[in-house]
Amino acid sequence: LCNCGIREGAGSAASGNNVRIMRYADVLLMRAEIELMMDNTPGCIEFINRVRRRFGMFEYTAANYSDAEAFELLKKERELELMGEGSRFNDLKRWGILAETLNPEFQAKYGTQPVNASHYFFPIPQGELDTNFGL
């Protein structure tokens, strides 16, 4: 234990190791999404390419893509780059394609389509439910 009462280790605040809050690739891909929302397809493609450039992957030519095609590239890049990090569900929710993406997967695997409109909302915290009688 350090003198602050916190057990030192790789994951603690008292550790000399950095704690990862957000990945640089995630920031670049969020910026690409913003550029696309602002009708700047070349800017979107440039930020996608900045992520790809780090690994020596081929780059996309911005002039060759429509907004819809750039959005498909962005979706695929986020899926590949952030695989297993728990961001896909919220990405699909934000883009409004949660049910149409996940239900076919569930149908093929389990024979059911459980995703519905209620999955697009965040839950109300229990503290709010307990104290706000207007809900």
Side-chain angles (χ1 to χ4, degrees):
L1 287 171
C2 68
N3 59 6
C4 61
I6 299 173
R7 193 171 69 92
E8 292 187 34
S12 76
S15 168
N17 295 341
N18 293 330
V19 177
R20 186 184 317 178
I21 306 275
M22 183 177 287
R23 288 189 50 219
Y24 182 58
D26 192 16
V27 173
L28 292 175
L29 292 172
M30 284 190 282
R31 180 65 188 270
E33 189 173 341
I34 290 167
E35 294 296 331
L36 188 59
M37 291 170 58
M38 295 173 46
D39 294 324
N40 181 8
T41 303
C44 171
I45 299 296
E46 173 54 31
F47 281 100
I48 292 172
N49 284 336
R50 286 175 69 175
V51 172
R52 297 177 67 79
R53 203 175 291 136
R54 298 174 313 136
F55 296 105
M57 298 173 72
F58 72 90
E59 295 183 24
Y60 301 114
T61 306
N64 295 341
Y65 296 97
S66 67
D67 286 353
E69 292 168 332
F71 182 59
E72 291 302 316
L73 292 176
L74 176 64
K75 288 192 311 187
K76 182 55 74 178
E77 200 66 35
R78 285 191 67 82
E79 183 179 0
L80 293 173
E81 181 68 31
L82 304 172
M83 185 179 299
E85 296 183 21
S87 64
R88 184 170 185 238
F89 185 82
N90 287 326
D91 287 344
L92 296 174
K93 205 156 74 163
R94 182 175 66 251
W95 298 327
I97 59 172
L98 181 67
E100 69 188 60
T101 304
L102 294 184
N103 275 337
E105 295 175 14
F106 280 109
Q107 182 66 40
K109 189 165 184 175
Y110 303 110
T112 182
Q113 296 187 6
V115 180
N116 57 47
S118 68
H119 290 95
Y120 285 94
F121 300 103
F122 288 103
I124 299 171
Q126 187 62 48
E128 286 296 317
L129 293 173
D130 292 344
T131 59
N132 187 344
F133 300 109
L135 291 176

